[in-house]
Amino acid sequence: MVRTPLTPEERERGERLGRLLREARGGRSMTEVAASAGISAETLRKIETGRAPTPAFFTVAALARALALSMDELAGLCAPAAV
């Protein structure tokens, strides 16, 4: 299976998601949040740095739950900026 390259907009959206998650994590350690979400710290690191710009839905949902974020809020904040 060949994966199609991500568009610049998809990469930018992934970077926004990473920034939002990093900000929501605040003073909590990456390891603590990752364990709470049931993912590896390396997976969280990749998402936060934009190296994994399209994480699985269930991964994002688990992180949102661990960080007490609304999925609606995350989706809205990650949406492309209006032109």
Side-chain angles (χ1 to χ4, degrees):
M1 179 172 170
V2 177
R3 178 177 264 179
T4 58
L6 297 175
T7 66
E9 293 81 16
E10 290 169 324
R11 287 194 178 284
E12 184 180 323
R13 188 173 54 229
E15 290 170 3
R16 275 196 303 274
L17 173 63
R19 279 192 303 272
L20 290 167
L21 294 175
R22 201 170 34 253
E23 289 170 8
R25 185 164 55 84
R28 294 173 64 186
S29 76
M30 191 175 284
T31 305
E32 176 188 349
V33 172
S36 178
I39 64 171
S40 72
E42 182 59 22
T43 296
L44 179 54
R45 182 181 341 277
K46 287 178 181 178
I47 294 168
E48 284 190 357
T49 60
R51 287 184 20 233
T54 57
F57 172 81
F58 292 105
T59 300
V60 176
L63 285 167
R65 185 174 53 252
L67 295 168
L69 295 171
S70 150
M71 288 293 286
D72 287 336
E73 178 183 16
L74 270 180
L77 291 171
C78 289
V83 182

Coordinates of all heavy atoms in Angstrom, one line a residue:
M1 N 0.8 -1.2 0.0 CA 0.0 0.0 0.0 C 0.9 1.2 0.0 O 1.8 1.4 0.8 CB -0.9 0.0 1.2 CG -1.8 1.1 1.3 SD -2.9 0.8 2.7 CE -3.7 2.3 2.9
V2 N 0.7 2.1 -0.9 CA 1.4 3.3 -1.1 C 0.7 4.5 -0.4 O -0.5 4.7 -0.7 CB 1.7 3.7 -2.5 CG1 2.5 5.0 -2.7 CG2 2.5 2.5 -3.2
R3 N 1.4 5.2 0.5 CA 0.7 6.3 1.2 C 1.0 7.6 0.3 O 2.1 7.8 -0.1 CB 1.4 6.5 2.5 CG 0.8 7.6 3.3 CD 1.4 7.7 4.7 NE 0.5 7.0 5.5 CZ 0.7 6.8 6.8 NH1 1.8 7.2 7.4 NH2 -0.3 6.3 7.6
T4 N -0.1 8.3 0.1 CA 0.0 9.5 -0.7 C 0.7 10.6 0.2 O 0.4 10.7 1.4 CB -1.4 10.0 -1.2 OG1 -2.2 10.2 0.0 CG2 -2.0 9.1 -2.1
P5 N 1.5 11.4 -0.4 CA 2.1 12.5 0.4 C 1.1 13.5 1.0 O 0.0 13.7 0.4 CB 3.0 13.2 -0.6 CG 3.1 12.3 -1.8 CD 1.9 11.5 -1.8
L6 N 1.4 14.0 2.2 CA 0.5 14.9 2.8 C 0.6 16.3 2.1 O 1.7 16.7 1.6 CB 0.9 15.1 4.3 CG 0.8 13.8 5.1 CD1 1.3 14.1 6.5 CD2 -0.7 13.4 5.2
T7 N -0.5 17.0 2.1 CA -0.5 18.3 1.6 C 0.1 19.3 2.6 O 0.2 19.0 3.8 CB -1.9 18.8 1.2 OG1 -2.6 18.9 2.5 CG2 -2.6 17.8 0.3
P8 N 0.5 20.5 2.2 CA 1.0 21.4 3.1 C 0.0 21.8 4.2 O 0.3 22.0 5.4 CB 1.3 22.7 2.3 CG 1.7 22.1 0.9 CD 0.7 20.9 0.8
E9 N -1.3 21.8 3.8 CA -2.4 22.1 4.8 C -2.5 21.0 5.8 O -2.7 21.3 7.0 CB -3.7 22.2 4.0 CG -3.8 23.5 3.1 CD -3.1 23.3 1.8 OE1 -2.9 22.1 1.4 OE2 -2.9 24.3 1.1
E10 N -2.3 19.7 5.4 CA -2.4 18.6 6.3 C -1.2 18.7 7.3 O -1.4 18.4 8.5 CB -2.4 17.3 5.6 CG -3.7 17.0 4.8 CD -3.6 15.8 3.9 OE1 -2.5 15.6 3.3 OE2 -4.6 15.1 3.8
R11 N -0.1 19.0 6.8 CA 1.1 19.1 7.7 C 0.9 20.3 8.7 O 1.2 20.1 9.9 CB 2.4 19.4 6.9 CG 2.8 18.2 6.1 CD 4.3 18.4 5.6 NE 4.7 17.2 4.9 CZ 5.1 16.1 5.5 NH1 5.1 16.0 6.8 NH2 5.5 15.1 4.8
E12 N 0.4 21.4 8.2 CA 0.1 22.5 9.1 C -0.9 22.2 10.1 O -0.7 22.6 11.3 CB -0.4 23.7 8.2 CG -0.5 25.0 9.0 CD -1.0 26.2 8.2 OE1 -0.6 26.3 7.0 OE2 -1.8 26.9 8.7
R13 N -1.9 21.5 9.8 CA -3.0 21.1 10.7 C -2.3 20.2 11.8 O -2.7 20.3 13.0 CB -4.1 20.4 10.0 CG -5.3 20.1 10.9 CD -6.5 19.6 10.1 NE -6.1 18.4 9.3 CZ -6.4 18.2 8.0 NH1 -7.1 19.1 7.4 NH2 -6.1 17.2 7.4
G14 N -1.5 19.3 11.4 CA -0.8 18.4 12.3 C 0.1 19.2 13.3 O 0.2 18.9 14.5
E15 N 0.8 20.2 12.8 CA 1.6 21.0 13.6 C 0.7 21.8 14.6 O 1.1 21.9 15.8 CB 2.4 22.0 12.8 CG 3.5 21.3 12.0 CD 4.2 22.1 11.0 OE1 3.9 23.4 10.9 OE2 5.1 21.6 10.3
R16 N -0.4 22.3 14.2 CA -1.3 23.0 15.1 C -1.8 22.0 16.2 O -1.9 22.4 17.4 CB -2.5 23.6 14.4 CG -2.3 24.9 13.7 CD -3.6 25.6 13.3 NE -4.4 24.9 12.4 CZ -4.3 24.9 11.1 NH1 -3.3 25.6 10.5 NH2 -5.1 24.2 10.3
L17 N -2.2 20.8 15.8 CA -2.6 19.8 16.8 C -1.5 19.6 17.8 O -1.8 19.6 19.0 CB -3.0 18.5 16.1 CG -3.3 17.4 17.1 CD1 -4.5 17.7 17.9 CD2 -3.5 16.1 16.3
G18 N -0.3 19.4 17.4 CA 0.8 19.2 18.3 C 1.0 20.3 19.2 O 1.2 20.1 20.4
R19 N 0.9 21.6 18.8 CA 1.1 22.8 19.6 C 0.0 22.8 20.7 O 0.2 23.1 21.8 CB 1.1 24.0 18.8 CG 2.4 24.4 18.2 CD 2.4 25.8 17.6 NE 1.3 26.1 16.7 CZ 1.4 25.8 15.3 NH1 2.5 25.3 14.8 NH2 0.4 26.1 14.5
L20 N -1.3 22.5 20.2 CA -2.4 22.5 21.2 C -2.2 21.5 22.3 O -2.5 21.8 23.4 CB -3.7 22.3 20.4 CG -4.2 23.4 19.5 CD1 -5.3 22.9 18.6 CD2 -4.6 24.6 20.3
L21 N -1.8 20.3 21.9 CA -1.6 19.2 22.9 C -0.5 19.6 23.8 O -0.6 19.4 25.0 CB -1.4 17.9 22.2 CG -2.5 17.3 21.3 CD1 -2.1 16.1 20.6 CD2 -3.7 17.1 22.2
R22 N 0.6 20.1 23.3 CA 1.7 20.5 24.2 C 1.3 21.6 25.2 O 1.6 21.5 26.3 CB 2.8 21.0 23.3 CG 4.2 21.0 23.9 CD 5.4 21.2 22.9 NE 5.1 22.2 21.9 CZ 4.9 21.8 20.6 NH1 5.0 20.6 20.2 NH2 4.7 22.7 19.7
E23 N 0.5 22.6 24.7 CA 0.0 23.6 25.6 C -0.9 23.1 26.6 O -0.9 23.5 27.8 CB -0.7 24.7 24.8 CG 0.2 25.6 23.9 CD -0.5 26.5 22.9 OE1 -1.8 26.6 23.0 OE2 0.2 27.1 22.1
A24 N -1.8 22.2 26.2 CA -2.8 21.6 27.1 C -2.1 20.7 28.2 O -2.6 20.6 29.3 CB -3.8 20.8 26.4
R25 N -1.0 20.1 27.8 CA -0.2 19.3 28.7 C 0.4 20.1 29.9 O 0.5 19.6 31.0 CB 0.9 18.5 28.0 CG 1.7 17.6 28.8 CD 2.4 16.6 27.9 NE 3.4 17.2 27.0 CZ 4.6 17.6 27.3 NH1 5.1 17.5 28.5 NH2 5.4 18.1 26.3
G26 N 0.7 21.4 29.6 CA 1.2 22.3 30.6 C 2.4 21.7 31.3 O 3.4 21.3 30.7
G27 N 2.3 21.6 32.7 CA 3.4 21.1 33.5 C 3.5 19.6 33.6 O 4.4 19.1 34.2
R28 N 2.5 18.9 33.1 CA 2.5 17.5 33.2 C 3.6 16.9 32.3 O 3.8 17.4 31.2 CB 1.1 16.9 32.8 CG 0.0 17.3 33.8 CD -1.3 16.9 33.3 NE -1.4 15.4 33.3 CZ -2.5 14.8 32.8 NH1 -3.5 15.5 32.3 NH2 -2.6 13.5 32.7
S29 N 4.2 15.8 32.7 CA 5.2 15.2 31.9 C 4.6 14.5 30.7 O 3.5 14.1 30.7 CB 6.1 14.2 32.7 OG 5.4 13.0 32.9
M30 N 5.4 14.4 29.6 CA 5.0 13.7 28.4 C 4.7 12.2 28.8 O 3.7 11.6 28.3 CB 6.1 13.7 27.4 CG 5.7 13.3 26.0 SD 7.0 13.5 24.8 CE 6.9 15.3 24.6
T31 N 5.5 11.6 29.6 CA 5.3 10.2 30.1 C 4.0 10.0 30.8 O 3.2 9.1 30.6 CB 6.5 9.8 30.9 OG1 7.7 10.0 30.2 CG2 6.3 8.3 31.3
E32 N 3.7 11.0 31.7 CA 2.4 10.9 32.5 C 1.2 11.0 31.5 O 0.2 10.2 31.7 CB 2.4 12.1 33.5 CG 1.1 12.2 34.3 CD 1.1 13.4 35.1 OE1 2.1 14.1 35.3 OE2 0.0 13.7 35.7
V33 N 1.2 11.9 30.6 CA 0.0 12.1 29.7 C -0.1 10.9 28.8 O -1.2 10.4 28.6 CB 0.2 13.5 28.9 CG1 -0.9 13.6 27.9 CG2 0.1 14.6 29.9
A34 N 1.0 10.5 28.3 CA 1.0 9.3 27.3 C 0.4 8.1 28.1 O -0.4 7.4 27.5 CB 2.4 9.0 26.8
A35 N 0.9 7.8 29.3 CA 0.4 6.7 30.0 C -1.1 6.8 30.3 O -1.8 5.8 30.2 CB 1.2 6.5 31.3
S36 N -1.5 8.0 30.6 CA -2.9 8.3 30.9 C -3.8 8.0 29.7 O -4.9 7.5 29.7 CB -3.1 9.7 31.4 OG -4.5 10.0 31.6
A37 N -3.2 8.3 28.5 CA -3.9 8.1 27.2 C -3.8 6.7 26.7 O -4.4 6.3 25.7 CB -3.5 9.1 26.2
G38 N -2.9 5.9 27.3 CA -2.7 4.6 26.8 C -1.8 4.5 25.5 O -2.0 3.6 24.7
I39 N -0.9 5.5 25.3 CA 0.0 5.5 24.2 C 1.4 5.6 24.7 O 1.6 5.9 25.8 CB -0.4 6.6 23.2 CG1 -0.1 8.0 23.8 CG2 -1.8 6.5 22.6 CD1 -0.2 9.2 22.9
S40 N 2.4 5.4 23.8 CA 3.8 5.5 24.2 C 4.1 7.0 24.2 O 3.6 7.8 23.5 CB 4.7 4.8 23.2 OG 4.7 5.4 22.0
A41 N 5.1 7.3 25.0 CA 5.6 8.7 25.1 C 6.2 9.1 23.7 O 6.1 10.2 23.3 CB 6.7 8.8 26.2
E42 N 6.8 8.1 23.0 CA 7.4 8.4 21.7 C 6.3 8.8 20.7 O 6.4 9.7 19.9 CB 8.2 7.2 21.2 CG 8.8 7.5 19.8 CD 9.8 8.6 19.8 OE1 10.3 9.0 20.9 OE2 10.0 9.2 18.7
T43 N 5.1 8.2 20.8 CA 4.0 8.5 19.9 C 3.5 9.9 20.2 O 3.3 10.8 19.3 CB 2.8 7.5 20.1 OG1 3.3 6.2 19.7 CG2 1.6 8.0 19.3
L44 N 3.4 10.3 21.5 CA 3.0 11.6 21.9 C 4.1 12.6 21.4 O 3.7 13.7 20.9 CB 2.8 11.7 23.4 CG 2.4 13.1 23.9 CD1 1.2 13.7 23.2 CD2 2.2 13.1 25.4
R45 N 5.4 12.3 21.6 CA 6.4 13.2 21.1 C 6.3 13.5 19.6 O 6.4 14.6 19.2 CB 7.8 12.6 21.4 CG 9.0 13.4 21.1 CD 10.3 12.8 21.4 NE 10.4 11.7 22.3 CZ 10.4 11.8 23.7 NH1 10.4 13.0 24.2 NH2 10.4 10.8 24.4
K46 N 6.1 12.4 18.8 CA 5.9 12.6 17.4 C 4.7 13.5 17.0 O 4.8 14.3 16.1 CB 5.8 11.2 16.7 CG 7.1 10.5 16.7 CD 6.9 9.1 16.0 CE 8.2 8.3 16.0 NZ 7.9 7.0 15.4
I47 N 3.6 13.3 17.7 CA 2.4 14.1 17.5 C 2.7 15.6 17.9 O 2.4 16.5 17.1 CB 1.2 13.6 18.2 CG1 0.8 12.2 17.7 CG2 0.0 14.5 18.1 CD1 -0.2 11.4 18.6
E48 N 3.3 15.8 19.0 CA 3.6 17.1 19.5 C 4.5 17.9 18.6 O 4.5 19.1 18.5 CB 4.1 17.1 20.9 CG 3.0 16.9 22.0 CD 3.5 17.1 23.4 OE1 4.7 17.4 23.6 OE2 2.6 17.0 24.3
T49 N 5.5 17.2 18.0 CA 6.5 17.8 17.2 C 6.1 17.9 15.7 O 6.8 18.4 14.9 CB 7.8 17.1 17.3 OG1 7.7 15.8 16.9 CG2 8.4 17.2 18.7
G50 N 4.9 17.3 15.4 CA 4.5 17.4 14.0 C 5.0 16.3 13.1 O 4.8 16.2 11.9
R51 N 5.8 15.4 13.7 CA 6.4 14.3 12.9 C 5.4 13.2 12.6 O 5.6 12.4 11.7 CB 7.6 13.7 13.6 CG 8.8 14.6 13.6 CD 10.1 14.0 14.2 NE 10.1 12.6 14.4 CZ 10.4 12.0 15.5 NH1 10.6 12.7 16.6 NH2 10.5 10.7 15.6
A52 N 4.3 13.2 13.3 CA 3.1 12.3 13.1 C 1.9 13.2 12.9 O 1.1 13.4 13.8 CB 2.9 11.4 14.2
P53 N 1.8 13.9 11.7 CA 0.7 14.9 11.6 C -0.7 14.4 11.4 O -1.6 15.2 11.5 CB 1.2 15.7 10.3 CG 2.0 14.7 9.5 CD 2.7 13.8 10.6
T54 N -0.8 13.1 11.2 CA -2.2 12.5 11.0 C -2.4 11.3 11.9 O -2.5 10.2 11.5 CB -2.4 12.1 9.5 OG1 -1.4 11.2 9.2 CG2 -2.4 13.3 8.6
P55 N -2.4 11.6 13.2 CA -2.6 10.5 14.2 C -4.0 9.9 14.0 O -4.9 10.5 13.6 CB -2.4 11.1 15.5 CG -2.7 12.6 15.3 CD -2.3 12.9 13.9
A56 N -4.1 8.6 14.5 CA -5.4 7.9 14.4 C -6.4 8.6 15.3 O -6.1 9.2 16.3 CB -5.2 6.5 14.9
F57 N -7.6 8.6 14.9 CA -8.7 9.2 15.6 C -8.7 8.8 17.1 O -8.9 9.6 18.0 CB -10.1 8.8 14.9 CG -11.3 9.3 15.7 CD1 -11.7 10.6 15.7 CD2 -11.9 8.4 16.6 CE1 -12.8 11.0 16.4 CE2 -13.0 8.8 17.4 CZ -13.4 10.1 17.3
F58 N -8.6 7.4 17.3 CA -8.7 7.0 18.7 C -7.5 7.4 19.5 O -7.7 7.6 20.7 CB -8.8 5.4 18.7 CG -10.1 5.0 18.2 CD1 -10.2 4.4 16.9 CD2 -11.3 5.1 18.9 CE1 -11.4 4.0 16.4 CE2 -12.5 4.8 18.4 CZ -12.6 4.2 17.1
T59 N -6.4 7.7 18.9 CA -5.2 8.3 19.6 C -5.5 9.7 20.0 O -5.3 10.1 21.2 CB -4.0 8.2 18.7 OG1 -3.7 6.9 18.4 CG2 -2.8 8.8 19.4
V60 N -6.1 10.5 19.1 CA -6.5 11.9 19.4 C -7.6 11.9 20.5 O -7.5 12.7 21.4 CB -6.9 12.6 18.2 CG1 -7.4 14.0 18.5 CG2 -5.8 12.7 17.1
A61 N -8.5 11.0 20.4 CA -9.6 10.9 21.4 C -9.1 10.6 22.7 O -9.5 11.2 23.8 CB -10.7 9.9 20.9
A62 N -8.1 9.7 22.8 CA -7.5 9.3 24.1 C -6.7 10.4 24.7 O -6.8 10.7 25.9 CB -6.6 8.0 23.9
L63 N -6.0 11.1 23.9 CA -5.2 12.3 24.3 C -6.2 13.4 24.8 O -5.9 14.0 25.8 CB -4.3 12.8 23.3 CG -3.1 12.0 23.0 CD1 -2.4 12.4 21.7 CD2 -2.1 12.1 24.2
A64 N -7.2 13.6 24.1 CA -8.2 14.7 24.5 C -8.8 14.3 25.8 O -8.9 15.2 26.7 CB -9.3 14.8 23.4
R65 N -9.1 13.1 26.0 CA -9.7 12.6 27.3 C -8.7 12.8 28.4 O -9.0 13.4 29.5 CB -10.2 11.2 27.2 CG -10.9 10.7 28.5 CD -11.4 9.3 28.3 NE -10.4 8.3 27.9 CZ -10.4 7.8 26.6 NH1 -11.3 8.1 25.7 NH2 -9.4 6.9 26.3
A66 N -7.4 12.4 28.2 CA -6.4 12.5 29.2 C -6.1 14.0 29.6 O -5.7 14.3 30.7 CB -5.1 11.9 28.7
L67 N -6.3 14.9 28.6 CA -6.0 16.3 28.8 C -7.3 17.1 29.1 O -7.2 18.4 29.2 CB -5.3 16.9 27.6 CG -3.9 16.3 27.4 CD1 -3.4 16.7 26.0 CD2 -2.9 16.7 28.4
A68 N -8.4 16.4 29.2 CA -9.7 17.1 29.5 C -10.0 18.2 28.4 O -10.5 19.3 28.7 CB -9.7 17.7 30.9
L69 N -9.8 17.8 27.2 CA -10.1 18.6 26.1 C -11.3 18.1 25.3 O -11.5 16.9 25.3 CB -9.0 18.7 25.1 CG -7.7 19.3 25.5 CD1 -6.6 19.1 24.5 CD2 -7.9 20.8 25.8
S70 N -12.1 19.0 24.8 CA -13.3 18.6 24.0 C -12.8 18.3 22.5 O -12.0 19.0 22.0 CB -14.3 19.7 23.9 OG -15.0 19.8 22.8
M71 N -13.3 17.2 22.0 CA -13.0 16.9 20.6 C -13.4 18.0 19.6 O -12.8 18.3 18.7 CB -13.6 15.5 20.2 CG -12.9 14.3 20.8 SD -11.2 14.1 20.2 CE -11.5 13.4 18.6
D72 N -14.6 18.6 19.9 CA -15.1 19.7 19.1 C -14.2 20.9 19.2 O -13.9 21.5 18.2 CB -16.5 20.1 19.6 CG -17.6 19.1 19.3 OD1 -17.4 18.4 18.3 OD2 -18.6 19.1 20.0
E73 N -13.7 21.1 20.4 CA -12.7 22.3 20.5 C -11.4 22.0 19.7 O -11.0 22.8 19.0 CB -12.4 22.4 22.0 CG -11.4 23.5 22.3 CD -11.1 23.6 23.8 OE1 -11.4 22.6 24.5 OE2 -10.5 24.6 24.2
L74 N -10.9 20.8 19.9 CA -9.7 20.4 19.1 C -9.9 20.5 17.6 O -9.1 21.1 16.9 CB -9.3 19.0 19.4 CG -8.3 18.8 20.6 CD1 -8.0 17.3 20.8 CD2 -7.1 19.6 20.4
A75 N -11.0 20.0 17.1 CA -11.3 20.0 15.7 C -11.4 21.5 15.2 O -10.9 21.8 14.2 CB -12.6 19.3 15.4
G76 N -12.1 22.3 16.0 CA -12.2 23.7 15.6 C -10.9 24.5 15.6 O -10.6 25.2 14.7
L77 N -10.0 24.2 16.6 CA -8.7 24.9 16.7 C -7.8 24.4 15.6 O -6.8 25.1 15.3 CB -8.2 24.7 18.1 CG -8.9 25.4 19.2 CD1 -8.4 25.0 20.6 CD2 -8.8 26.9 19.0
C78 N -8.0 23.2 15.1 CA -7.1 22.6 14.1 C -7.5 22.9 12.7 O -6.8 22.6 11.8 CB -6.9 21.1 14.3 SG -5.9 20.7 15.8
A79 N -8.7 23.4 12.6 CA -9.3 23.7 11.2 C -8.4 24.7 10.5 O -7.8 25.6 11.2 CB -10.7 24.2 11.4
P80 N -8.4 24.6 9.2 CA -7.6 25.7 8.5 C -8.1 27.1 8.7 O -9.3 27.3 9.0 CB -7.9 25.3 7.0 CG -8.4 23.9 7.0 CD -9.0 23.7 8.4
A81 N -7.2 28.0 8.8 CA -7.6 29.4 9.0 C -8.4 29.9 7.8 O -8.2 29.6 6.7 CB -6.3 30.2 9.2
A82 N -9.4 30.7 8.1 CA -10.3 31.3 7.1 C -9.4 32.3 6.3 O -8.6 33.0 6.9 CB -11.5 32.0 7.7
V83 N -9.6 32.3 5.0 CA -8.9 33.2 4.2 C -9.6 34.5 4.0 O -10.7 34.7 3.9 CB -8.6 32.6 2.8 CG1 -7.7 33.5 1.9 CG2 -7.9 31.3 3.0

